[in-house]
Amino acid sequence: RCCRWIFPKSYSNVEEEREGGRFAGTGPPPRPGFASAGPQPRPGLAASTLGRPASSYEEISEAERNRRRDMAAERAQDRQSQELARGVSDPGKVKAMQEQGQREDLMGRISEHYARLGKDVPMGLGLADLGLLRRHLGEVQAELEAKGKHPTVQVS
């Protein structure tokens, strides 16, 4: 009763007013392309790059493309290193932690392959750098394949 001044008409008249078109957005939206065979071309919307009209298209040389690609890769590398260094004050420490994680992963794979071969892991292998560990993992996998024992993990 207190809100009568907001709704001066009763709700029974609402359906009648909708049919008359008094409410603008109540019907289903028009379906583009329903009456025609295909989508209608929009006038004035020819663009080859988002945000640039087709008339401003410029031919880019291969050297310029390479330069832009290198700049984008460098920015992506910077973003990645900043993301990895989040929460750690020294970026060198983050890199060392990543290398240690990769080293442990490779050593785990190598020791698993040696266990399948029935051999012991070489003594100084844990002190090797990542490149040497990757090469050694490839050699151990090749040895497993030669003996007919297929490795479950491939060299990454």
Side-chain angles (χ1 to χ4, degrees):
R1 286 188 184 232
C2 67
C3 298
R4 279 286 214 216
W5 61 274
I6 294 175
F7 304 109
K9 297 182 180 181
S10 66
Y11 287 110
S12 62
N13 297 341
V14 172
E15 292 299 322
E16 296 169 3
E17 289 176 357
R18 277 192 190 151
E19 292 172 5
R22 188 162 173 218
F23 296 105
T26 58
R31 296 172 64 184
F34 184 74
S36 64
Q40 303 268 335
R42 297 172 137 182
L45 288 180
S48 59
T49 302
L50 186 65
R52 288 188 188 159
S55 61
S56 72
Y57 180 73
E58 60 192 51
E59 190 63 35
I60 300 173
S61 68
E62 191 64 30
E64 178 66 16
R65 286 180 196 214
N66 288 337
R67 188 185 69 80
R68 289 182 182 183
R69 187 178 304 120
D70 292 341
M71 284 176 42
E74 185 177 325
R75 287 192 306 262
Q77 183 70 29
D78 290 343
R79 283 192 307 270
Q80 184 180 17
S81 64
Q82 287 175 356
E83 182 68 28
L84 292 174
R86 179 177 286 170
V88 180
S89 61
D90 186 19
K93 187 174 182 181
V94 172
K95 191 167 187 107
M97 288 170 37
Q98 286 177 336
E99 287 180 3
Q100 181 65 27
Q102 290 175 354
R103 182 182 321 278
E104 289 175 0
D105 180 47
L106 289 172
M107 282 301 298
R109 291 181 187 184
I110 290 171
S111 62
E112 175 68 25
H113 290 316
Y114 271 113
R116 286 177 183 227
L117 287 171
K119 296 182 179 179
D120 292 331
V121 179
M123 287 294 280
L125 195 60
L127 301 174
D129 63 339
L130 289 176
L132 182 63
L133 286 175
R134 286 189 183 107
R135 284 193 305 267
H136 192 77
L137 179 61
E139 293 170 4
V140 173
Q141 284 179 341
E143 187 177 346
L144 269 176
E145 289 175 359
K147 287 195 172 194
K149 301 176 182 178
H150 295 288
T152 56
V153 181
Q154 296 296 321
V155 174
S156 56

